[in-house]
Amino acid sequence: MVVTDPILVKDGTVSRSFSLDRVRNIGIIAHIDAGKTTVTEKVLYSTGRTYKIGEVDSGTAVMDWMEQERERGITITAAATSCHWREHRINIIDTPGHVDFTAEVERSLRVLDGGVVIFDAVAGVEAQSETVWRQADKYKVPRICFVNKMDRLGANFGRTLSMIEERLRARPLPVQLPLGSETSYQGVIDLVENKAWSFEGRPDSEPVAVAIPQSQEAECARFRQALIEKLAEIDDQIMIAYLEGIPLTPAELRLALRRVTLANRGVPVLCGSALKNKGIRPLLDAIVDYLPSPLDMPPVRATNVKSGAEVTYPARDDAPFTALAFKVVSDPFVGRLVYLRVYSGKVKAGAQVFNSARDKRERLGRLLVMHANRREEVDEADTGTIVATVGLKNTFTGDTLCHSAHQPVILESIRFPQPVLSIAIEPKTKSDQDRMQQALSSLTEEDPTFKVNYDRETGQTIISGMGELHLDVIVNRLVSEFKAGVKVGKPRVAYKETITVPVKAEGRFIRQSGGHGQYGHVLIELEPTQRGSGFQFIDRVQGGAIPRKYVSAVEDGVRETMGTGVVAGYPLVDIKVVLYDGSYHEVDSSDIAFKMAGSIALKEGVRRAAPILLEPVMQLEIVNPEEFLGDVIGDLSSRRGHIKSIDTRDGMATIHAFVPLAEAFGYTTTLRSLTQGRATHSMEFYRYQELPREFATQIQTTGEGGG
């Protein structure tokens, strides 16, 4: 069904009645359960985009449209929507908060111009808050903060500000103070306007201006002066006015806050209670006032595929068309949907474009503006638009679409973390086999952190993901969405192998059988590299010892062999391979001979380079009552855990620890029983590190490890 919205769609085009400086592409990001989806639901209601407030707990949230999301009460996939506020178009992506779905946050931040980071006023900065903050730093995304749940018992705005400064190494600029606290929370004190606003009444009531309470006047004056002083430190125009004693108007303060935010030198902080619809309208004002339009962002940088030269395209409709595919979804009604962010130029439905990453021409089908899982069909997508399209058969996440095959350019792609946990699945019946394979194919297209491999020895299909919840959701989707009955095996840890000493190795592949034979001979050096650095291949052959045309074959042979180590058959990582010499035969040498020689050399070298097993280690944050601290620490020690720090405050202890993934299975259940269900925890991948020898020996002999 095609839905039309007169605000957003005009004459079949995403309405350009909004000039580009009135467009905001933003993401809502935070730790799980901080209230991201609730904030988005209230934004949609306040802007008139929806006429009924959706609730996460009751399973009626518009943005949590998947069956799995409504059952679990969490966001699993990033959902896109658009709304209208103060004659601005705001494109919003509501992202997941659970670490298992961090890829959704990664690809969203890659294509967004600004971010709204939500914090729980009671918990403050949590583990995943730090992760999403680092992701936003990586892409230099300007952001504002919203301290949510100010009406909850234990809410502390000042403590959250301190945690933003200490744990995120950021410069918070509070532009609001809470009016009242906890159960007496009424609204906000606007430090820019020096006014107080009460949000008492119905959710759709206009905020009411009230007098700043006498008890908060001194605090308000102190915070406002501190805001001006902080701005003076980082903004020259405010510095001049401050030194000359010139009073600053609210408009001047807003402009300064915008300059500082766009330069990523400070972060405006607001507060409210999304569930009670308190503080949402000022948040919308802040999105418009402080976050960037596509025009405020630097021109998009791309690389010319043919020349290798860097080119830049301005954010203009008359510039060459350039877009990044950042998400692929299998929609049950319209088929394969590819989400695009248009960085420059514009494109019509049915137009032919060029996929420079795959060197293929593609034809766009229908263009759709998404509102969660509802669609609004448009004829044209212009600069700054986030749009979905059907009909792209060979376009995948991270691919660049451009206007011409004659001047192909490629944008920086998106890097995703590697899976750390695997399970074996198999179809229940023969009829489930085809459905399962088709479903797995669709799911791997959707999710770059989900991998599928077929184990020839056991005949099992191995699926790998970012954690227990990630794989549990995948299996449930196989059954409920794709109607494929599956049996699930025991979780398996994604171990890796690497080397610890540098060695030289030789690989010879020589075959003679009457006619043309096979001859390939290579000499390589292997060196261990830093953890997480991956695989490097360097060609240092001199004097034509190996013709250039065979070097890539050697690299292919080495890369393929990296998939199977010599200790226990796990993939090899963090190795530098230098091809420095070899020999060839004028007649008998071939690509396949040098590919085999490269493979033989790597295997031989790894055997002599003191290979070891690496295991994934998780970073764990546990918040629990102090009375259970001893029991929790004792359990962590039994799991080979390493305590990094323990912070205590108000009778609660926050434990920061590192635990091997193999020992973390079923931890949620254990923690609940140890703390009478009063503890909360979050876990995210930290790094790979060496597996102790006794556990490595166990894996070599049994093929399994961990607890």
Side-chain angles (χ1 to χ4, degrees):
M1 180 177 71
V2 176
V3 183
T4 57
D5 183 336
I7 291 175
L8 298 170
V9 182
K10 185 178 180 182
D11 300 327
T13 304
V14 182
S15 174
R16 187 47 100 203
S17 58
F18 299 99
S19 58
L20 206 51
D21 64 330
R22 290 178 176 269
V23 173
R24 301 288 184 270
N25 290 316
I26 66 161
I28 311 289
I29 56 177
H31 184 91
I32 191 170
D33 208 29
K36 296 176 302 304
T37 301
T38 304
V39 168
T40 310
E41 294 292 327
K42 297 305 190 288
V43 162
L44 295 177
Y45 182 77
S46 298
T47 57
R49 191 68 170 90
T50 57
Y51 300 99
K52 181 182 177 185
I53 299 177
E55 301 288 353
V56 173
D57 292 340
S58 62
T60 58
V62 173
M63 302 305 284
D64 284 350
W65 57 270
M66 285 175 62
E67 181 185 339
Q68 287 285 305
E69 292 177 316
R70 293 187 167 179
E71 283 180 6
R72 297 170 187 267
I74 61 170
T75 302
I76 292 170
T77 182
T81 189
S82 300
C83 60
H84 170 246
W85 184 255
R86 279 175 40 190
E87 298 182 354
H88 285 68
R89 187 174 89 219
I90 304 174
N91 299 321
I92 302 172
I93 294 184
D94 174 31
T95 65
H98 196 285
V99 66
D100 280 17
F101 310 105
T102 189
E104 291 288 330
V105 184
E106 186 83 19
R107 60 175 157 201
S108 300
L109 287 171
R110 170 65 179 83
V111 298
L112 293 170
D113 300 327
V116 179
V117 188
I118 313 293
F119 296 100
D120 184 324
V122 179
V125 175
E126 300 172 88
Q128 186 66 2
S129 309
E130 295 184 62
T131 302
V132 297
W133 195 272
R134 287 195 302 269
Q135 288 172 306
D137 280 341
K138 180 166 74 173
Y139 294 114
K140 297 182 172 58
V141 175
R143 67 216 83 144
I144 60 177
C145 298
F146 183 76
V147 182
N148 192 24
K149 305 186 182 183
M150 285 302 307
D151 55 345
R152 279 186 59 200
L153 197 64
N156 191 324
F157 184 70
R159 174 172 170 259
T160 304
L161 287 176
S162 299
M163 293 178 78
I164 292 171
E165 193 165 15
E166 293 165 12
R167 292 183 61 170
L168 302 180
R169 305 272 189 258
R171 184 185 277 116
L173 302 170
V175 295
Q176 292 177 351
L177 291 179
L179 182 63
S181 62
E182 298 181 344
T183 53
S184 63
Y185 177 73
Q186 298 174 13
V188 299
I189 299 171
D190 186 334
L191 296 176
V192 175
E193 294 279 352
N194 216 14
K195 290 180 181 176
W197 297 95
S198 171
F199 295 93
E200 297 295 292
R202 292 172 47 210
D204 53 355
S205 301
E206 292 281 339
V208 178
V210 296
I212 297 173
Q214 276 191 330
S215 59
Q216 288 190 264
E217 281 181 353
E219 182 189 32
C220 179
R222 179 167 54 84
F223 267 86
R224 192 172 194 274
Q225 183 63 25
L227 174 63
I228 293 170
E229 289 173 0
K230 282 184 177 180
L231 285 172
E233 290 174 11
I234 50 181
D235 185 82
D236 292 342
Q237 293 183 41
I238 300 296
M239 169 69 83
I240 292 167
Y242 180 72
L243 292 176
E244 294 180 358
I246 301 170
L248 291 161
T249 65
E252 288 171 328
L253 282 176
R254 273 194 292 272
L255 284 173
L257 283 162
R258 181 175 182 80
R259 288 192 298 270
V260 166
T261 305
L262 298 189
N264 274 311
R265 303 183 72 186
V267 188
V269 184
L270 300 91
C271 60
S273 169
L275 191 63
K276 304 287 177 61
N277 212 27
K278 295 179 180 179
I280 297 300
R281 288 169 184 250
L283 174 62
L284 281 161
D285 287 335
I287 289 169
V288 167
D289 290 337
Y290 306 135
L291 290 180
S293 74
L295 290 176
D296 295 312
M297 303 305 288
V300 63
R301 293 182 175 183
T303 303
N304 186 299
V305 175
K306 292 182 177 178
S307 66
E310 184 179 279
V311 293
T312 57
Y313 289 145
R316 293 204 317 258
D317 286 346
D318 58 357
F321 170 70
T322 315
L324 184 75
F326 68 95
K327 185 179 170 86
V328 177
V329 174
S330 297
D331 189 288
F333 299 103
V334 296
R336 190 176 189 268
L337 273 177
V338 179
Y339 283 71
L340 304 174
R341 162 68 196 266
V342 182
Y343 280 99
S344 64
K346 56 186 178 180
V347 69
K348 289 183 178 293
Q352 191 177 76
V353 295
F354 184 69
N355 184 332
S356 53
R358 311 275 167 186
D359 195 26
K360 289 182 182 292
R361 295 181 189 275
E362 291 264 60
R363 187 171 295 280
L364 296 173
R366 288 183 293 155
L367 295 175
L368 307 165
V369 174
M370 302 302 292
H371 176 50
N373 64 331
R374 287 169 55 219
R375 300 162 296 282
E376 296 163 352
E377 192 168 335
V378 295
D379 292 334
E380 187 178 79
D382 48 36
T383 300
T385 301
I386 292 174
V387 69
T389 182
V390 294
L392 299 179
K393 296 177 181 176
N394 299 303
T395 298
F396 299 89
T397 300
D399 287 358
T400 301
L401 298 179
C402 56
H403 67 294
S404 168
H406 301 298
Q407 288 184 311
V409 295
I410 194 161
L411 299 168
E412 182 187 353
S413 190
I414 312 170
R415 294 183 180 178
F416 296 104
Q418 290 298 308
V420 296
L421 188 65
S422 303
I423 57 174
I425 62 169
E426 56 186 52
K428 284 185 176 178
T429 66
K430 247 188 175 180
S431 61
D432 289 322
Q433 175 77 41
D434 290 340
R435 280 197 293 269
M436 187 184 87
Q437 294 303 330
Q438 188 177 351
L440 291 175
S441 177
S442 296
L443 290 168
T444 51
E445 282 190 9
E446 284 186 22
D447 187 349
T449 60
F450 174 61
K451 305 291 183 189
V452 179
N453 291 299
Y454 182 71
D455 190 328
R456 295 181 187 280
E457 291 184 15
T458 62
Q460 289 178 310
T461 300
I462 308 297
I463 61 172
S464 306
M466 299 304 297
E468 288 181 277
L469 179 61
H470 187 197
L471 293 178
D472 188 38
V473 167
I474 292 284
V475 170
N476 274 283
R477 288 187 66 190
L478 284 172
V479 175
S480 60
E481 273 182 52
F482 297 96
K483 311 302 179 191
V486 294
K487 298 176 186 174
V488 180
K490 185 182 174 184
R492 300 191 343 168
V493 178
Y495 294 102
K496 307 283 187 190
E497 298 184 21
T498 192
I499 61 174
T500 54
V501 297
V503 295
K504 291 186 177 182
E506 181 179 30
R508 290 177 180 270
F509 184 76
I510 302 171
R511 296 285 186 275
Q512 196 65 47
S513 56
H516 280 313
Q518 296 285 0
Y519 184 96
H521 173 221
V522 300
L523 294 169
I524 62 172
E525 291 179 352
L526 304 182
E527 292 178 29
T529 58
Q530 282 189 324
R531 293 282 178 269
S533 60
F535 168 70
Q536 302 171 49
F537 182 86
I538 299 172
D539 172 22
R540 288 196 186 141
V541 175
Q542 294 181 344
I546 299 175
R548 287 274 158 246
K549 61 182 179 180
Y550 296 135
V551 171
S552 59
V554 177
E555 182 177 354
D556 288 345
V558 169
R559 281 188 182 276
E560 282 188 18
T561 309
M562 290 282 291
T564 309
V566 301
V567 178
Y570 290 103
L572 289 155
V573 294
D574 305 335
I575 297 176
K576 180 165 77 173
V577 177
V578 179
L579 174 63
Y580 69 92
D581 203 358
S583 61
Y584 73 102
H585 189 279
E586 288 284 358
V587 177
D588 290 349
S589 286
S590 65
D591 283 345
I592 189 67
F594 274 98
K595 185 176 179 179
M596 293 299 297
S599 174
I600 292 165
L602 183 72
K603 284 181 181 176
E604 174 61 27
V606 169
R607 285 192 188 95
R608 295 190 288 104
I612 58 169
L613 275 176
L614 301 174
E615 65 175 342
V617 174
M618 311 303 283
Q619 184 169 307
L620 186 62
E621 182 181 280
I622 308 160
V623 180
N624 65 290
E626 282 189 55
E627 61 196 273
F628 303 114
L629 187 59
D631 292 336
V632 174
I633 290 175
D635 180 68
L636 286 173
S637 298
S638 71
R639 295 173 182 268
R640 296 193 283 129
H642 167 68
I643 309 292
K644 179 186 175 187
S645 64
I646 301 173
D647 304 321
T648 56
R649 187 192 296 263
D650 302 328
M652 299 295 286
T654 303
I655 304 169
H656 301 274
F658 302 107
V659 179
L661 176 62
E663 308 290 349
F665 295 139
Y667 186 67
T668 302
T669 306
T670 303
L671 186 63
R672 283 176 185 156
S673 64
L674 287 173
T675 61
Q676 298 173 11
R678 293 169 63 190
T680 60
H681 80 289
S682 61
M683 194 184 304
E684 63 179 309
F685 174 70
Y686 175 57
R687 68 178 183 189
Y688 274 89
Q689 68 182 35
E690 183 174 352
L691 181 68
R693 188 176 297 277
E694 62 270 26
F695 294 99
T697 303
Q698 180 185 342
I699 290 172
Q700 285 175 267
T701 55
T702 65
E704 295 182 0

